[in-house]
Amino acid sequence: MNTSPQHTGSSVQASVASSAAPSLPPNGPDARTAANAAAVENLLRCWVREAGLAAPDDGVLRVPLPATGTALLAPVHYWSPTGWHRFGPPRLADVPEQSPPADAVTVAALLARETPGAPGTPEPGHAADLVARVADSVRRTAAFISVCREHPADGSDLFLSAEQALTLGHPLHPTPKSREGLSDGEARSYSPESHGSFPLHWFAVAPALLATDSAWTERGRPVTADQLTARLAGPALPLPDGYAALPLHPWQLREVRHRPEVSALIDAGLLRDLGAYGSAWHPTSSVRTVYRSGAPAMLKLSLGLRITNSRRENLRKELHRGVEVHRLLRTGLSQRWRAAHPGFDIVRDPAWLAVDGTDGLAVTGLDVVLRHNPFTPADHVSCVAGLVAPRPYAEPRGGETGTPPVAQDSRLAALITRLARGTGRPRETVATEWFLRYLEHVVRPVLWLDGEAGIALEAHQQNTLVLLDTDGWPTGGRYRDNQGYYFRASRRGELDARLPGIGERSDTFVSDAVTDERFTYYLGINNVLGLIGAFGSQRLADEQMLLAAFRRFLTAAVCGPDRLRSSFPARLLDSPVLRCKANLLTRLHGLDELVGPVDTQSVYVTVANPLHS
């Protein structure tokens, strides 16, 4: 099956190149100031959502701090119905006017003493950890901004440029760029934001230790995972006869080789260190998934780094899940899906390779997912998070109503502005049409899969790719992530009939109640409402108008001629409140979202539904 998006012409390539961010003017904020301001806004956005603060009447947000006996006051530059607020520098109440504003570390320390709606009181160590990680995130963000100002992406590989565009990270996360365990030099080489690249390190795995599965085919012929990794390494790799080639991230190598179970296998000659070989690979927006232009596969590696809320080591059940989903789609489900929505598909994870110890148990941290690479450098495809991300190394646009500049240009803003100029229509009209096309080509196919197959996707903005035509209009989408599938428990029988034994090793069946909560958050709040918030906060369109458009889309999905079987549309239309992931509280309670039952991995809070009338 051909899953490549349509190739784009020179007009879009020229558009991306022309929208490469210029350096800030001489009086623009320095990188540290810009990074700190972004971090403060993230913390305040999180707190407004998680503590349930209402829009202020006087244009100044007041954050009560009863544990400290004071309050934070922050000017509101933009209040977003969907949560993407913009704030000026906050100050403590009742301090002299000449006092400096509170920086991100101070704000984090103050908020860490408060626990709105939290399930119990955080341990003191978790509060200290939050503050330390905020400081780390600010420092790394400043470094990324500096790199991007000095060396803007050239746009020659459109997919890679989009993956490297997420300089500030998730706008509603307290520590979006914290990467505990990386030195500054490693961060430059291993981070997409600094346009890093590096050769992979290679181990040879004895056949007795090899754990693997593959549903990868080429021209109808099966291809094993070790055949793929040997091909990716190239003929220069001195691979012993019978051994399999296992790629490792350089940081991964440094960390795992000191684990007793790994060093014992090396000493026994069952794992052989072959060194660094081959061309450079580039980190994508997830950091641990690496890409090389023209390679048939991307590689999802294991990293013990804490990135956002989790240590990013692959779990064996996730390896099984990727292959299982590929096999499930090949039972005829994919043909039905693409007949209804030919522009959408899943970027498949159809093969993996890992290591079992001499006791037969999985060796953690030594594995790789082999992901299809359906993209060429000319394909105009972008993860939604990278498309909407403000670029603090670009010159801010002035507010159209006389207010101070409140947003830097994003790739989305550049596209909408170019489309408006090319069509001679108002920017807001173009933005609304772009959003409506996105709903049809990206959101509707995800709802189809839920309704028709009982599979909900964890389709947040970083996991969702939008395909654009030569002018920049959405024409389709892709979903990626072998972690993020929810098989509805109520549909187990029909899914098992399609693929007998499904879920036994992948642990993918989830109760419908939890599936509804997570699907609503990831697709509804994070993805679509987050997109609306980006349009509004970047002065591209009025959020209330886009919310009305989304309501019409959902209403048609419930009762129109093309209605969908998914419960998602009615839930968003009918619920006055929604359950929403609370990233700050999740971090404050020290939770790892890859550990434990799916219904307790994160803190969720109840928020008002902006769609409910």
Side-chain angles (χ1 to χ4, degrees), residues 516-532:
D516 286 342
E517 178 183 82
R518 302 307 160 92
F519 197 35
T520 299
Y521 168 70
Y522 285 112
L523 179 62
I525 297 174
N526 180 294
N527 192 321
V528 181
L529 295 184
L531 178 58
I532 292 173

Side-chain angles (χ1 to χ4, degrees), residues 171-511:
L172 279 145
H173 197 287
T175 62
K177 296 300 173 181
S178 175
R179 287 166 195 172
E180 250 179 22
L182 283 184
S183 69
D184 290 346
E186 289 172 329
R188 282 191 295 273
S189 295
Y190 303 154
S191 297
E193 303 89 345
S194 54
H195 318 311
S197 63
F198 48 88
L200 296 174
H201 205 94
W202 295 85
F203 271 2
V205 182
L209 303 185
L210 186 63
T212 184
D213 192 13
S214 177
W216 192 295
T217 59
E218 294 178 357
R219 298 177 182 175
R221 298 178 180 177
V223 181
T224 64
D226 54 307
Q227 287 174 329
L228 284 166
T229 56
R231 187 195 308 171
L232 292 170
L237 188 71
L239 190 65
D241 287 344
Y243 278 62
L246 174 68
L248 282 81
H249 191 288
W251 189 93
Q252 175 190 7
L253 168 77
R254 188 193 75 182
E255 201 274 334
V256 299
R257 71 185 310 160
H258 299 296
R259 297 180 184 181
E261 65 273 25
V262 174
S263 60
L265 295 175
I266 293 173
D267 291 343
L270 299 172
L271 285 179
R272 301 188 187 181
D273 187 345
L274 304 180
Y277 280 90
S279 304
W281 292 74
H282 300 268
T284 61
S285 60
S286 70
V287 181
R288 62 164 168 162
T289 301
V290 296
Y291 162 87
R292 191 178 73 199
S293 180
M298 289 180 263
L299 303 175
K300 187 173 184 180
L301 305 165
S302 271
L303 285 182
L305 293 168
R306 279 208 298 180
I307 299 172
T308 59
N309 291 340
S310 306
R311 295 192 182 278
R312 302 294 169 165
E313 289 190 319
N314 294 319
L315 303 178
R316 189 62 63 89
K317 65 182 180 181
E318 296 164 0
L319 309 182
H320 289 298
R321 189 177 299 155
V323 177
E324 182 177 75
V325 167
H326 184 59
R327 288 181 171 134
L328 175 66
L329 290 170
R330 292 200 314 193
T331 64
L333 181 59
S334 178
Q335 287 86 336
R336 285 185 57 214
W337 193 14
R338 287 182 66 81
H341 299 287
F344 198 91
D345 201 356
I346 288 172
V347 179
R348 312 295 178 82
D349 297 305
W352 57 270
L353 190 151
V355 174
D356 286 341
T358 53
D359 57 3
L361 300 177
V363 178
T364 303
L366 288 180
D367 45 58
V368 59
V369 173
L370 293 152
R371 172 172 291 173
H372 278 163
N373 176 19
F375 308 120
T376 74
D379 291 328
H380 198 14
V381 56
S382 174
C383 75
V384 178
L387 191 66
V388 305
R391 297 182 292 183
Y393 44 91
E395 184 173 354
R397 289 178 287 115
E400 295 179 359
T401 60
T403 60
V406 294
Q408 298 87 6
D409 267 333
S410 63
R411 293 167 68 88
L412 177 66
L415 279 178
I416 297 299
T417 300
R418 178 180 177 275
L419 281 167
R421 289 172 179 166
T423 61
R425 293 188 293 164
R427 192 169 61 194
E428 188 168 57
T429 302
V430 170
T432 302
E433 181 178 344
W434 196 100
F435 176 68
L436 290 172
R437 294 194 190 195
Y438 180 85
L439 293 178
E440 287 298 324
H441 292 294
V442 178
V443 178
R444 185 180 286 276
V446 177
L447 298 181
W448 185 97
L449 187 65
D450 177 44
E452 297 301 315
I455 301 172
L457 302 178
E458 199 169 279
H460 58 66
Q461 288 191 355
Q462 187 167 302
N463 281 352
T464 304
L465 306 173
V466 57
L467 312 183
L468 304 172
D469 67 13
T470 55
D471 295 318
W473 296 106
T475 60
R478 299 289 183 270
Y479 173 77
R480 61 178 177 195
D481 190 15
N482 61 348
Q483 295 173 334
Y485 296 97
Y486 297 81
F487 294 171
R488 290 185 178 273
S490 63
R491 310 289 287 274
R492 180 186 286 268
E494 59 191 90
L495 287 170
D496 190 73
R498 280 192 171 276
L499 189 68
I502 188 171
E504 291 179 358
R505 292 186 295 177
S506 67
D507 189 26
T508 310
F509 281 98
V510 182
S511 73

Side-chain angles (χ1 to χ4, degrees), residues 54-62 74 76 79 87:
D57 295 327
D58 59 357
V60 177
L61 176 71
R62 183 179 180 86
V76 178
W79 190 267
F87 300 108

Side-chain angles (χ1 to χ4, degrees), residues 47 64-70 109-116 118 122 584-585 588:
W47 201 254
L65 300 170
T68 308
T70 185
L110 291 168
L111 296 181
R113 301 190 68 195
E114 315 293 334
T115 56
L584 195 154
L585 292 177
L588 190 54

